[in-house]
Amino acid sequence: MPDISNAALTVLTTAEPYAKVRAARAAARDWRLGRLAHAFSAAMPDRPARPAAPELLPPNRMPKRGRAGSDASRIAMIHALAHIEFVAIDLAFDMAGRFGARFPRGFADDWMRVGADEAMHFALLDRRLRALGSHYGALPAHDGLWQAAEETAQDPLARLAVVPMVLEARGLDITPATIARFEGAGDLATARILGRILTDEERHVRAGTRWFRHGCESAGLDPIPTWQSLVARHFRGSLKPPFNDSARERAGLTRAFYMVGCH
C-alpha cells in the first residue's frame, strides 16, 4: 500500500496546475478512504515543481496593479490570489509529508483536507480568471510564500508558527476588505468565491494553532512566547494591524500571541 508521503510527493512534483489539482484531490480522497498507509517513506523535495508560467519575480519587482476597480486591476488581484492558493496546495501537502511522522494521525487528517481545500480554491479562482478573459500564468507572480517553507523546512513548530499562524492568518485580516472591494465593483461572483475561501481559511488557521499548541505542550514549551520567538526568527516581515481579532479568536489565535511586538 502506498503511504501518505508518496501521495504528498506526487503532488509536490507535479508542475502543471490542473494536474496538481487532480493529484491533490486524489491524495486527499485516498487518505480519507484508507488507501494510504500512515507512514512516511518518501522525503519531500526542497522545492516543488512549477509550471513555465507564471514568471516568478521577487516581490519588489512585481508590477503595479493599476487603477483600483478597473478590469485589469481586478484580474491582477484575482491572479495574485490564485497564485497564493496554488502555492498553498504544496504548503499543505509538504506539511503532511514532511512533518506528519512527528504528530498523531489527526495532523495528517487536517493537512490533507487543507490541501484539498487549497486545490479547490485555486480551481475556483482560475475559473473566474477565465470567465474574465484571462488565466493563471498570464501575469507574473512572486515566490515569497515558498521562501517561508524553505526557512522552516527543519522545524515543524516554526512551519506552523509562520505558515498557518502568520501568513494564512493574514488572509483573515485582509480578505473581508477585499470582498468589499469586489462587491463595490459589482463583481459579486468573485466576492462569493472569496467568502468561501475566508470560511475555509479560519479552519486552516485553527488547525495550525491547535497543532502548534500540541507540539509546544509535548515539548514542555509555553506556546505564546515560543510562537513569538519563532516568528521573530523565521518570518521576513512584521506583524501589522489591522487584525481580524474575532476571526483569529475563533481560530484559537488569541490576541496574547500577536499583540506583542514580533518584528
Side-chain angles (χ1 to χ4, degrees), residues 111 160-161 164-165 203-213:
W111 296 110
L160 290 162
M165 297 176 72
R203 179 163 41 78
H204 301 173
V205 176
R206 186 181 308 119
T209 304
R210 179 171 65 252
W211 289 112
F212 181 80
R213 286 184 177 275

Side-chain angles (χ1 to χ4, degrees), residues 67-78:
R67 183 173 58 83
S70 68
D71 288 349
S73 176
R74 286 191 295 124
I75 287 170
M77 173 65 77
I78 298 167

Side-chain angles (χ1 to χ4, degrees), residues 3-242:
D3 67 40
I4 194 169
S5 68
N6 303 137
L9 182 62
T10 296
V11 176
L12 288 158
T13 54
T14 299
E16 195 280 322
Y18 277 91
K20 189 182 290 286
V21 166
R22 289 191 295 273
R25 290 172 171 167
R29 181 176 61 251
D30 286 347
W31 174 250
R32 189 176 67 250
L33 295 176
R35 297 171 180 163
L36 300 174
H38 185 244
F40 300 88
S41 62
M44 298 301 102
D46 292 337
R47 287 187 61 83
R50 286 284 175 263
E55 179 187 8
L56 298 179
L57 300 175
N60 60 4
R61 286 187 52 211
M62 287 292 292
K64 301 298 182 184
R65 290 195 182 123
R67 183 173 58 83
S70 68
D71 288 349
S73 176
R74 286 191 295 124
I75 287 170
M77 173 65 77
I78 298 167
H79 190 280
L81 294 170
H83 181 66
I84 289 170
E85 300 297 335
F86 184 70
V87 178
I89 301 170
D90 290 320
L91 288 170
F93 284 97
D94 187 77
M95 184 84 84
R98 185 178 298 269
F99 299 123
R102 307 191 197 188
F103 290 89
R105 186 183 184 93
F107 183 88
D109 290 339
D110 280 340
W111 296 110
M112 295 295 272
R113 182 180 179 187
V114 170
D117 287 347
E118 309 294 19
M120 181 264 291
H121 297 165
F122 169 78
L124 288 172
L125 289 167
D126 184 59
R127 190 180 308 154
R128 184 64 186 143
L129 283 171
R130 292 173 186 278
L132 294 169
S134 187
H135 63 276
Y136 178 64
L139 300 172
H142 74 76
D143 199 32
L145 278 177
W146 196 257
Q147 291 174 2
E150 292 174 328
E151 176 72 25
T152 58
Q154 306 307 316
D155 185 347
L157 289 182
R159 176 68 64 85
L160 290 162
V162 171
V163 174
M165 297 176 72
V166 172
L167 298 177
E168 194 143 19
R170 192 63 183 154
L172 301 182
D173 302 332
I174 65 176
T175 303
T178 307
I179 291 171
R181 185 183 311 168
F182 280 101
E183 288 175 339
D187 188 346
L188 301 184
T190 301
R192 284 192 294 271
I193 293 169
L194 297 184
R196 170 67 183 272
I197 291 173
L198 179 61
T199 298
D200 291 342
E201 279 179 339
E202 192 173 307
R203 179 163 41 78
H204 301 173
V205 176
R206 186 181 308 119
T209 304
R210 179 171 65 252
W211 289 112
F212 181 80
R213 286 184 177 275
H214 172 92
C216 287
E217 289 160 8
S218 297
L221 301 171
D222 187 334
I224 290 174
T226 300
W227 182 82
Q228 292 167 350
S229 173
L230 289 169
V231 170
R233 191 180 319 151
H234 294 287
F235 179 55
R236 302 180 185 182
S238 58
L239 305 182
K240 299 177 182 178

